[in-house]
Amino acid sequence: MSTIAVPGALAPRRAWLTDLPLLLVAAVWGASYLAAKDVTTARTVIAVLVLRFAVALPVLVAVGWRSLRALSAAQWRGAAVLGLILSGIFLLETYGVVHTSATNAGLVISLTMIFTPLAESAVNRVRPARGFLAAAGVSVLGVVLLTQSGGFTRPSPGDLLMLLAAVARTGHVLVMSRSRAVRGAGALPLTTVQLGTAVLVFALLSAGADTTPWAAAADFGAREWAGLLFLAVFCTLFAFFVQMWAVRRTSPSRVGLLLGTEPLWAAAAGIALGGERLGAAGLLGGVLVIAGTVWGRRAAG
């Protein structure tokens, strides 16, 4: 996300008018894990990914056509590399949520907020603050407790895939921030090229998959189409345009803080709508993950 300086503090009324759409984005992102779990099976992951982003991509291309044409060849190549990483993230997340609960998925992926500052410190050879390291320890302990249902057992394959997705998200952020090729590129064309690259990767993978996008679409009922459109329209298009709108009206740190409530909404959706249950250890783990990430954000800031 590009940082834009904002002079002065927003008036309370204007601040809330900006905060509420951002909270809605965090809520739909939190609900996206349950929606993806409801729409997708292990056999249809790639097909659903093709359909989800094939719906959103034409809108992004139409809106950002002029800015796409303004990209240099180096910016196209840099954005395409980021798109390859992004495709890996979506594969890990979607396969992960198929094999774990939506609650676990949303909470484990929030570790990105801890992993990213740790990775930046390692790359820049700067020792993290003690408070941040303590917050990271709290978050890791929370994940250990969260992924243990009914006693200490091995984490599920889905939990491990979500953990890898959090690592991949961290890598994506680092590459984006350090890549000279994409510097100066606007958020809209950069996102469009990345999603276009991801769709191409998914389309190529679908050629050898068990279920093609067209076969999956033919088997969809009203519930599955509603879930797919929710993922494409609200979790992709609406979320992207709200972020672009909000970051020009408030501080990037405030945007990050509000979007950081995503794991709370993921847990709420999983428990209230998905019928998922957390035992005492899992509940404590979820609280520790959230507390550790909030503490870590403040310590890193």
Side-chain angles (χ1 to χ4, degrees), residues 119-147:
E120 286 178 334
S121 296
V123 169
N124 296 326
R125 298 182 180 180
V126 176
R127 184 180 179 85
R130 291 184 179 179
F132 181 81
L133 291 175
V138 169
S139 294
V140 171
L141 175 60
V143 169
V144 171
L145 292 174
L146 177 70
T147 56

Side-chain angles (χ1 to χ4, degrees), residues 94-216:
T94 311
Y95 275 113
V97 79
V98 167
H99 295 290
T100 190
S101 67
T103 303
N104 277 24
L107 290 168
V108 173
I109 200 68
S110 70
L111 285 177
T112 304
M113 290 186 285
I114 292 294
F115 290 164
T116 302
L118 283 175
E120 286 178 334
S121 296
V123 169
N124 296 326
R125 298 182 180 180
V126 176
R127 184 180 179 85
R130 291 184 179 179
F132 181 81
L133 291 175
V138 169
S139 294
V140 171
L141 175 60
V143 169
V144 171
L145 292 174
L146 177 70
T147 56
Q148 306 308 310
S149 55
F152 284 90
T153 59
R154 290 184 179 181
S156 72
D159 295 330
L160 295 176
L161 287 171
M162 296 308 297
L163 189 60
L164 288 174
V167 174
R169 277 195 186 190
T170 299
H172 184 262
V173 171
L174 289 181
V175 172
M176 185 182 295
S177 65
R178 300 177 70 87
S179 174
R180 294 181 180 179
V182 297
R183 289 177 186 172
L188 177 56
L190 186 60
T191 300
T192 303
V193 175
Q194 288 185 78
L195 288 184
T197 303
V199 170
L200 179 60
V201 170
F202 300 146
L204 292 173
L205 291 175
S206 70
D210 295 333
T211 305
T212 66
W214 329 120

Side-chain angles (χ1 to χ4, degrees), residues 29-42 44-45 48-49 52 89-109 156-165 169 231 262 266 269-270 276:
W29 275 355
S32 70
Y33 299 102
L34 184 62
K37 189 174 183 67
D38 195 39
V39 171
T40 314
T41 67
T44 62
V45 165
V48 168
L49 286 171
R52 171 182 174 178
I89 294 171
F90 282 122
L91 286 168
L92 287 168
E93 287 184 358
T94 311
Y95 275 113
V97 79
V98 167
H99 295 290
T100 190
S101 67
T103 303
N104 277 24
L107 290 168
V108 173
I109 200 68
S156 72
D159 295 330
L160 295 176
L161 287 171
M162 296 308 297
L163 189 60
L164 288 174
R169 277 195 186 190
L231 291 170
E262 176 189 346
E276 298 175 356

